Amino acid sequence: MASKKKTGLSKRSGFGIKSLMPELRKAEALIIKQKWEKAQVVLENLSDNYPHNADVLSHLVNVCYELKDLPAYERACEMLVKVDPKNADAAYGLAGGHYANLHPILALEAFQNAVSRFPNHEKADDAREAIADLDSKVDELLAEMNLTRSNGWEIAVLNERAQAYFIQGKYKQAKLANEELLRLRPDFVFSYNNLSLISFTLGDNDKAIAYCQKVLEIQPDNIHALGNLTRYHILNGDMEQAESTCERLINSQAKGWDVWTKKVEALSYFGDDQGILQVFEQAKASGEFSGTSFSGLFSHLVAVALTRQGRIDEARKLWLKTPEGTEGSKLAQANLQDLKKPIGERHAPWAFPLTCWLTQKTIKDLSALADSHSKKKGQQLLAKTTEDYFDSHPQITNIIPILLERGDPQGREFAFRFASLAKTPEMLVALRDFAISQHGPDAMRYEAAITVSEAKLLPQEGVKIWFQGELQEVNLISYELHDEPTVANHSRKVKNLGGKAISLMEKGGVEKAVEAEKILQKALEIEPDSPDLLNNLAGTYQMQGRTEEAYNLLSELSSNYPDYLFPIISLARLKIKKGEIPEAEALLKPLISRKRFQFSEFSNFCTAQIELFMAKKDKDSARKWLQMWENLDPENPDLLPWKLKLDGNNLLNKLKSMVSGW
């Protein structure tokens, strides 16, 4: 565990681009404000420029600990121990870092060193327990690698160092370490598996597959090679090969590190929930499963399958058992947090982050593609470039539907945006299937439905889509909202008069309406044909109960200014109040086909549509308009009164539930 103790300012320093003290003070200020991510960036840069500064490294250790960034924590502790070998907290922190990152040989050595040098430290007793536990398992771990303490300890240490380099993102060092291991032991399958992962991460799928096949030539039932190969075949779109390899994996009786996890991991890439739950039962029956795995992934992946099967309470229990600080714990907590959101806003459950589905190179390539074109050359060229990229990288086309169905928030957003850009036949089908599914947030699925409706893959009317956990019939009408002025600019004096009038009208009441009317009349003396002033004047008539005058003025405005929507909508709402439903509907119907609305226009338009359907006693249609309004303008304060009116009991029950939960 990291030390939280303050250390004196070190005299050691290196040579760097940025001045040490100002940057260190900047990092300390960020730490005080608990802005851990920003502090980490500053300290990582400082550690590159001043690798021998103990103060920089001490802060970095503590920040990585707060962020639960275990690979970075392990690396920072390692650097700090070299720079400050008398730092007992750093020695114990390094041992804990090795242990948390599943490097048992390195952890055992580090714990033994810490206890030997600092036997009275507050963590010494915990360390002694860890030493006893690890020491009892070391021979078994070594045997799995065909090693012993006497002839293979250094090989095992180098293997774990290679793994540490990999998870820290130091791929060049990881590659060199594994190549050195193969020089010493040409049949060392662990290094071939590691090189396979490195190759995949760097974007070389063919080499990654070749390394897996090399392992299987040496050990035909190697769990890790079969698991990795299954994943690579899925991501390449070679489902037949993937199924064959996965079957070999599930049937394998080979022993290995975290075997059950590797099996459910492969099945999770397939989305085979039933298969995962079968393995879960096998693991429990075997007596080898105690509720957690070394990485925490087993519990997490089973919980995802349970959630997808509707068994959310069981899933929550498993997620909550996931050991803190593990890879699985981060994913478990993210899923649990997401499940607290309203059902229409959730992404959960998801098994893996985006980086498990796409290589870093692919993500960087597509991000660079978007950055280079979206700002400079417009959406059309970006769409064409994206389509070309998909054509030359067909594996992306295979992954997009999977990410739309089972991706994390970042992965689903990535898939949705690039599929919407490319709009190839395959991508449009993927978007259509996503739109009518129950996966992901309502707003994203509705947007996908609009896109495929415009491509004629879904009708515009009468489409059934899931909203708020219920299958509802909707009309897929696409609107663009803007905040541009709807009328010409007024003179400064008229602007001031108009602003005062609106302010009075917002306060409500007959007296304020009378005052507002007088001010608007003054403004109209200056600009007599201004439609917005006349529209507001009609509003003052309504507030005073002078309905007929308002009606006549709005009718006149609607005829004289057919492109100015406020009087048309206001007139329709007046007709609804008077019970003139067909006439109101006739006024509103032409507006449905408009593609662009100013935000206030759209708010009034949706309000009129809801009032129309409420007058027709058609609450379902009123709710659909409310849902569309919320999808396009979710922050509008006028939504809440309608939510209470249309679904008041449900909304209040949800609020009560939230309060009791708190």
Side-chain angles (χ1 to χ4, degrees):
M1 184 172 287
S3 163
K4 297 299 182 72
K5 295 178 181 177
K6 299 287 184 182
T7 60
L9 188 63
S10 171
K11 294 181 181 178
R12 304 180 185 89
S13 66
F15 295 96
I17 297 170
K18 292 189 176 182
S19 298
L20 171 62
M21 291 311 300
E23 287 298 297
L24 191 56
R25 283 196 293 269
K26 179 181 175 182
E28 288 170 344
L30 290 167
I31 289 169
I32 290 170
K33 295 175 182 176
Q34 297 189 356
K35 295 184 177 181
W36 308 115
E37 291 88 354
K38 290 182 179 179
Q40 185 182 32
V41 171
V42 174
L43 291 166
E44 289 280 8
N45 289 333
L46 278 177
S47 70
D48 289 340
N49 295 325
Y50 300 90
H52 305 298
N53 187 281
D55 296 292
V56 170
L57 295 173
S58 293
H59 283 315
L60 184 57
V61 165
N62 288 331
V63 166
C64 292
Y65 175 79
E66 293 293 344
L67 288 170
K68 299 293 185 286
D69 185 344
L70 296 180
Y73 175 76
E74 182 181 26
R75 178 174 176 271
C77 286
E78 209 160 20
M79 293 172 70
L80 182 56
V81 166
K82 288 178 182 176
V83 169
D84 190 3
K86 294 182 180 180
N87 188 324
D89 291 324
Y92 280 92
L94 176 60
H98 288 322
Y99 190 85
N101 282 299
L102 310 182
H103 301 142
I105 306 294
L106 291 175
L108 179 58
E109 281 192 338
F111 276 127
Q112 288 171 335
N113 176 64
V115 170
S116 171
R117 299 191 62 226
F118 310 105
N120 298 319
H121 191 272
E122 61 183 356
K123 295 293 181 185
D125 288 341
D126 291 338
R128 291 184 183 98
E129 288 183 20
I131 289 169
D133 179 53
L134 289 167
D135 196 56
S136 68
K137 296 173 180 174
V138 161
D139 291 323
E140 184 181 346
L141 292 171
L142 291 169
E144 288 177 9
M145 295 184 276
N146 293 319
L147 302 172
T148 64
R149 293 190 192 225
S150 59
N151 73 357
W153 189 265
E154 293 307 315
I155 295 287
V157 167
L158 183 56
N159 176 53
E160 289 192 359
R161 290 206 177 280
Q163 292 172 353
Y165 288 140
F166 175 71
I167 67 169
Q168 290 166 13
K170 298 160 74 174
Y171 303 122
K172 184 178 180 181
Q173 293 95 318
K175 186 171 183 288
L176 289 172
N178 281 296
E179 288 172 347
E180 174 63 13
L181 283 165
L182 288 173
R183 188 186 67 77
L184 297 171
R185 292 287 181 102
D187 62 346
F188 196 62
V189 294
F190 297 88
S191 284
Y192 285 119
N193 275 328
N194 291 337
L195 286 167
S196 169
L197 290 170
I198 293 167
S199 298
F200 170 76
T201 301
L202 296 176
D204 193 340
N205 278 21
D206 291 340
K207 189 174 281 189
I209 289 171
Y211 278 126
C212 284
Q213 290 169 338
K214 179 67 177 176
V215 173
L216 296 175
E217 288 173 13
I218 301 169
Q219 292 182 1
D221 58 352
N222 184 279
I223 293 291
H224 292 272
L226 289 169
N228 292 336
L229 194 55
T230 299
R231 176 190 179 193
Y232 302 151
H233 284 319
I234 289 172
L235 301 187
N236 276 349
D238 192 346
M239 302 307 289
E240 189 174 336
Q241 284 284 354
E243 287 172 7
S244 173
T245 307
C246 189
E247 187 175 354
R248 287 173 62 187
L249 169 66
I250 299 306
N251 294 329
S252 173
Q253 299 301 310
K255 301 295 182 183
W257 182 266
D258 233 359
V259 169
W260 297 112
T261 298
K262 291 306 292 184
K263 291 186 176 185
V264 296
E265 188 177 40
L267 291 166
S268 293
Y269 279 105
F270 272 110
D272 184 353
D273 301 324
Q274 290 295 342
I276 292 167
L277 297 181
Q278 286 175 10
V279 171
F280 181 40
E281 294 303 321
Q282 291 169 12
K284 289 193 291 186
S286 72
E288 298 174 17
F289 174 66
S290 61
T292 62
S293 59
F294 294 106
S295 64
L297 274 177
F298 187 89
S299 298
H300 161 65
L301 295 174
V302 173
V304 169
L306 287 167
T307 304
R308 285 167 55 85
Q309 295 290 302
R311 297 161 63 180
I312 296 179
D313 289 341
E314 295 172 71
R316 281 196 176 95
K317 289 177 184 176
L318 265 184
W319 269 322
L320 290 170
K321 287 181 181 178
T322 309
E324 186 179 353
T326 62
E327 182 184 0
S329 174
K330 290 181 181 178
L331 290 164
Q333 291 304 314
N335 273 270
L336 285 168
Q337 283 299 115
D338 194 81
L339 284 172
K340 292 178 181 178
K341 296 178 182 177
I343 191 168
E345 298 174 21
R346 295 176 189 169
H347 283 278
W350 65 86
F352 307 111
L354 177 60
T355 49
C356 288
W357 295 102
L358 295 177
T359 65
Q360 289 184 356
K361 182 179 184 303
T362 300
I363 295 170
K364 285 180 181 177
D365 286 349
L366 286 167
S367 297
L369 179 153
D371 288 342
S372 64
H373 290 304
S374 61
K375 295 174 184 174
K376 297 178 183 177
K377 301 178 183 177
Q379 291 291 99
Q380 284 189 333
L381 183 55
L382 177 56
K384 180 66 172 66
T385 311
T386 304
E387 187 177 340
D388 291 343
Y389 187 91
F390 280 21
D391 285 343
S392 59
H393 298 78
Q395 69 272 21
I396 304 296
T397 304
N398 302 322
I399 297 167
I400 291 290
I402 297 174
L403 288 174
L404 288 171
E405 180 192 350
R406 296 185 271 120
D408 68 333
Q410 184 187 16
R412 184 172 279 128
E413 180 72 23
F414 167 90
F416 174 65
R417 294 303 166 196
F418 278 99
S420 299
L421 271 173
K423 292 182 183 174
T424 61
E426 297 88 349
M427 292 299 93
L428 287 170
V429 168
L431 287 171
R432 180 200 63 195
D433 293 344
F434 171 61
I436 59 178
S437 75
Q438 289 182 263
H439 310 300
D442 291 350
M444 189 180 286
R445 281 186 284 99
Y446 183 81
E447 195 175 337
I450 292 289
T451 300
V452 294
S453 174
E454 290 172 349
K456 311 299 183 189
L457 289 186
L458 281 177
Q460 282 197 328
E461 296 183 3
V463 179
K464 289 192 175 180
I465 292 180
W466 289 91
F467 281 119
Q468 301 298 324
E470 296 180 2
L471 196 59
Q472 300 182 30
E473 192 174 284
V474 298
N475 295 329
L476 300 175
I477 306 166
S478 176
Y479 295 118
E480 177 189 346
L481 304 188
H482 64 87
D483 55 6
E484 301 161 14
T486 55
V487 292
N489 283 334
H490 296 293
S491 66
R492 181 177 294 181
K493 185 173 183 180
V494 169
K495 261 187 191 175
N496 289 336
L497 290 169
K500 287 178 183 177
I502 290 171
S503 178
L504 287 165
M505 292 171 71
E506 285 174 346
K507 292 176 182 177
V510 174
E511 286 185 17
K512 299 297 182 187
V514 171
E515 287 182 56
E517 180 189 352
K518 291 175 182 177
I519 292 172
L520 287 168
Q521 292 289 8
K522 287 181 183 178
L524 284 164
E525 288 174 8
I526 302 169
E527 296 181 15
D529 297 321
S530 179
D532 60 322
L533 295 176
L534 291 166
N535 182 64
N536 289 335
L537 182 63
T540 66
Y541 292 163
Q542 284 182 265
M543 291 174 67
Q544 296 174 60
R546 294 154 61 184
T547 306
E548 202 61 36
E549 290 175 77
Y551 187 94
N552 293 334
L553 180 52
L554 290 171
S555 298
E556 184 181 337
L557 284 169
S558 300
S559 300
N560 294 340
Y561 302 98
D563 293 326
Y564 184 53
L565 303 190
F566 288 109
I568 299 172
I569 297 168
S570 296
L571 183 61
R573 294 180 68 184
L574 264 181
K575 288 182 178 292
I576 292 167
K577 285 182 181 177
K578 292 176 70 174
E580 298 172 1
I581 304 303
E583 292 88 341
E585 201 161 11
L587 282 169
L588 294 172
K589 191 170 184 181
L591 304 187
I592 294 173
S593 59
R594 287 177 68 98
K595 294 297 181 185
R596 271 183 113 239
F597 284 88
Q598 200 255 8
F599 278 97
S600 295
E601 287 178 337
F602 191 68
S603 175
N604 280 320
F605 177 51
C606 289
T607 299
Q609 289 286 2
I610 293 168
E611 288 174 346
L612 175 69
F613 285 109
M614 291 290 280
K616 294 170 74 172
K617 303 192 183 306
D618 185 353
K619 265 195 170 186
D620 286 340
S621 295
R623 286 192 186 96
K624 289 168 191 172
W625 274 98
L626 180 62
Q627 180 66 58
M628 182 175 64
W629 183 8
E630 184 175 18
N631 287 337
L632 291 172
D633 189 13
E635 303 301 320
N636 194 307
D638 293 334
L639 289 166
L640 184 58
W642 280 115
K643 284 184 178 181
L644 288 167
K645 193 164 188 177
L646 287 166
D647 289 301
N649 290 336
N650 289 338
L651 190 60
L652 289 171
N653 287 336
K654 286 178 186 176
L655 289 170
K656 286 178 185 175
S657 173
M658 289 169 67
V659 171
S660 64
W662 292 331

